[in-house]
Amino acid sequence: MSKKAYTEQEREQVGRDLLSVGLEMLSQRGLKNTRLQDILQAVGISKPFFYGNYYTSLAELVIHIIDYEMALLLQAAKDDAARQDISLEEKINRLIQMAVHSRQHHFFVMTQEEELWVHKHLSPEDFDIYQQGQVQFYEQLLSSGIFQKKNVRRKSLVTCCLPWY
């Protein structure tokens, strides 16, 4: 098999494809049934190219997919917050529905078993960074405008949503 020379734009596109294809597979199959090889085959790259140019492991890719997903969820929350045609209750309900029916909305919500897998496969430092990212996401979500301070107990929402180990 001959090696393909990728332009900078093609490499960036492959990076975006890894995230979007990975998110789609994780949301539909879960972590247990998603193999790195499946993602790489769908994107059209080899393992050596993946390891040499993008991530060091499936666990690292999963963390980047989660970061990508959180950006999408945050944007959806901001878009809903800006809408004047739906009530606060409907805005919150839409966000909860995206989480509860994650596969329908093509989002990946980890099971407890999957959370443990991530914990096991990351270094303690990387896991701390992952948890800090989770905290930042919930803080940004709370400040997105979807939750009005007078109507929602913000601290209790963060407490119920964050995984504690």
Side-chain angles (χ1 to χ4, degrees), residues 21-39 41-42 103 107-108 111 114:
V21 168
L23 176 57
E24 180 65 24
M25 286 188 179
L26 288 171
S27 71
Q28 297 304 308
R29 301 177 183 182
L31 183 55
K32 187 176 185 178
N33 296 314
T34 300
R35 297 178 320 135
L36 178 60
Q37 188 59 40
D38 296 336
I39 296 170
Q41 186 174 10
R103 288 188 179 194
F107 286 109
F108 173 54
T111 64
E114 291 166 333

Side-chain angles (χ1 to χ4, degrees), residues 110-134:
M110 284 194 283
T111 64
Q112 189 174 21
E113 179 183 348
E114 291 166 333
E115 286 271 354
L116 290 172
W117 182 91
V118 168
H119 183 263
K120 179 180 174 184
H121 287 85
L122 291 177
S123 69
E125 298 81 19
D126 287 342
F127 189 74
D128 286 344
I129 292 168
Y130 163 71
Q131 280 195 312
Q132 290 169 9
Q134 296 283 300

Side-chain angles (χ1 to χ4, degrees), residues 23 67-77 98 106-107 137:
L23 176 57
D67 288 344
Y68 168 71
E69 174 186 43
M70 287 188 302
L72 295 175
L73 284 166
L74 190 57
Q75 187 58 53
M98 274 194 290
H106 304 279
F107 286 109
F137 166 72

Side-chain angles (χ1 to χ4, degrees), residues 77-89:
K78 287 179 179 180
D79 291 347
D80 274 355
R83 291 184 59 184
Q84 301 297 317
D85 62 323
I86 58 176
S87 68
L88 173 64
E89 292 80 14

Side-chain angles (χ1 to χ4, degrees), residues 4 11-12 20 25 27 38 49 67 94 102 109-110 132 135 149-150 159:
K4 179 181 190 253
R11 285 177 188 269
E12 289 172 5
S20 62
M25 286 188 179
S27 71
D38 296 336
F49 186 75
D67 288 344
R94 289 167 57 94
S102 57
V109 176
M110 284 194 283
Q132 290 169 9
V135 169
K149 194 171 184 177
K150 65 182 179 189
T159 303

